[in-house]
Amino acid sequence: MSGYQVRAAVAEMREAVRALLSLLEPEQVRELRAGPSRLDAPELREWTYLPGARPGLCTEGLGGDQREAVDVLLATAHSAPGADLARGAIEVERYRRTAVGAAGPDRYWVRLLGDPDGEGPWAWRLNGHHLAVHVLVTAAGIRVTPHFVGSEPARVPDGPQAGRRLLGPEEDLARELVTDLGAGRRAKAVFAATPPDDILTRADPFADPALLPGGLPYADMTTPQQQLLERLVRRYLDRAPAVYARECWNDAVRRGLDTLSFAWAGGLVPGDRHYYCVRAPDFLIEYDNTQDDGDHAHSVWRHLRHDWGTDLLRAHYAEQHH
């Protein structure tokens, strides 16, 4: 990443945090700042995409200006399409709550760790049902994984959002790829007729690619199929701010796209329960739409070196030690 682009992205995020802090009462600031002093504390790797309370400041009781400031902060961790996706997870969750008779304010938890105005690393995160965004910042860069977006329902049946498929592109690109495969290639890619009930890495603190099937290697695909896989991978990476998304993609290209592989389980027809994953040396992607008869989707992007900002923290603490 270029130094200028990193500084610009960090400055935007820092300003958004300052704006939020300026609107909060002292007790709200204490809730926002709950957490260990060291950003590599094991407890900070605990996360979930299920319903339930988390540490931090809950958005449920925020006023309009405060909630708007949270939205602005959330946008800084994403590209414009990525921000739309994150907001979409919140909007579909509102629909779900209304549909089950539990309408009310959004319940997500925001947490600030470290000092955004200091010289050291700092972090923030926003977590709730079907949305998990984890951000770590140092002078050397920004990290935004694990990154999870879910949608329940996968297709909104009625109301103002009728027909909305929040994760439609993630599903459609993968299905286009698997259905384009000939019989021999598809036999390698499809590892089970019945898909798993959820993503295989779940909410593990450390993503383990060994949990995922090997699938069909990129090198064994035709050029159009390889292009589909590239588009699918870019769909996930491009959730992030452009400067970081480019870094991740360029790393993948340098390592060789032949290291990518794609695997699928379940039916091939829209509406069938299904699952897929993409494996690479540095990252993995998982998607499932299996619960509620194939109307409840999950998607996650994990980076084996960058999750929780591990690489940046290691470099910072090594430099501090010396």
Side-chain angles (χ1 to χ4, degrees):
M1 292 189 287
S2 78
Y4 171 78
Q5 292 171 320
V6 170
R7 289 192 296 273
V10 170
E12 180 185 26
M13 197 172 285
R14 181 180 289 121
E15 190 57 37
V17 172
R18 288 170 177 161
L20 174 60
L21 287 169
S22 72
L23 295 170
L24 298 179
E25 300 297 329
E27 179 56 32
Q28 292 176 310
V29 172
R30 283 191 287 272
E31 293 175 3
L32 180 75
R33 289 187 174 280
S37 58
R38 281 186 64 99
L39 296 179
D40 56 356
E43 180 258 334
L44 294 180
R45 292 178 178 268
E46 296 174 4
W47 70 293
T48 178
Y49 45 88
L50 302 177
R54 277 73 157 167
L57 174 66
C58 184
T59 61
E60 184 175 25
L62 298 185
D65 289 347
Q66 295 171 332
R67 182 54 210 260
E68 184 176 339
V70 171
D71 291 342
V72 170
L73 177 61
L74 181 62
T76 67
H78 298 88
S79 63
D84 287 342
L85 188 66
R87 284 191 295 265
I90 296 171
E91 292 162 0
V92 173
E93 175 65 9
R94 288 176 193 154
Y95 170 85
R96 184 197 69 81
R97 294 198 311 271
T98 300
V100 299
D106 299 330
R107 299 185 76 235
Y108 295 86
W109 284 262
V110 191
R111 200 170 178 189
L112 175 63
L113 303 153
D115 180 9
D117 288 319
E119 297 298 322
W122 57 282
W124 65 272
R125 58 192 57 184
L126 186 143
N127 296 87
H129 187 211
H130 281 165
L131 181 61
V133 180
H134 306 92
V135 182
L136 184 126
V137 183
T138 75
I142 296 172
R143 300 292 184 251
V144 298
T145 58
H147 191 282
F148 180 98
V149 173
S151 180
E152 180 189 1
R155 181 192 291 271
V156 178
D158 52 37
Q161 300 187 64
R164 184 178 194 179
R165 297 171 62 232
L166 181 66
L167 295 170
E170 284 80 353
E171 177 177 328
D172 295 344
L173 279 169
R175 180 178 290 106
E176 186 177 354
L177 172 55
V178 73
T179 55
D180 190 67
L181 300 174
R185 291 187 175 97
R186 190 179 297 175
K188 288 185 179 180
V190 178
F191 67 93
T194 301
D197 291 333
D198 203 341
I199 59 173
L200 297 175
T201 54
R202 305 296 173 100
D204 291 346
F206 297 91
D208 182 2
L211 295 173
L212 306 185
L216 177 68
Y218 176 95
D220 292 348
M221 299 177 184
T222 66
T223 297
Q225 292 162 0
Q226 291 174 342
Q227 292 170 344
L228 280 171
L229 182 55
E230 290 173 27
R231 288 172 58 195
L232 180 62
V233 170
R234 295 296 293 267
R235 174 72 186 174
Y236 282 84
L237 303 189
D238 287 346
R239 294 177 176 187
V243 61
Y244 180 58
R246 282 196 300 271
E247 178 187 358
C248 290
W249 178 250
N250 290 340
D251 282 348
V253 171
R254 277 193 296 270
R255 283 181 171 266
L257 296 181
D258 285 354
T259 61
L260 299 176
S261 64
F262 170 82
W264 176 283
L268 302 180
V269 177
D272 287 348
R273 298 171 66 248
H274 63 282
Y275 163 96
Y276 70 79
C277 64
V278 178
R279 286 178 55 170
D282 277 349
F283 64 87
L284 61 86
I285 289 165
E286 285 192 272
Y287 174 98
D288 76 83
N289 189 351
T290 58
Q291 300 176 30
D292 300 330
D293 294 322
D295 193 28
H296 181 156
H298 296 154
S299 69
V300 70
W301 166 29
R302 304 292 301 265
H303 198 293
L304 308 186
R305 291 185 295 109
H306 294 182
D307 270 10
W308 318 107
T310 299
D311 63 321
L312 296 183
L313 286 175
R314 183 180 294 117
H316 169 78
Y317 289 133
E319 181 180 346
Q320 189 180 59
H321 177 73
H322 288 303

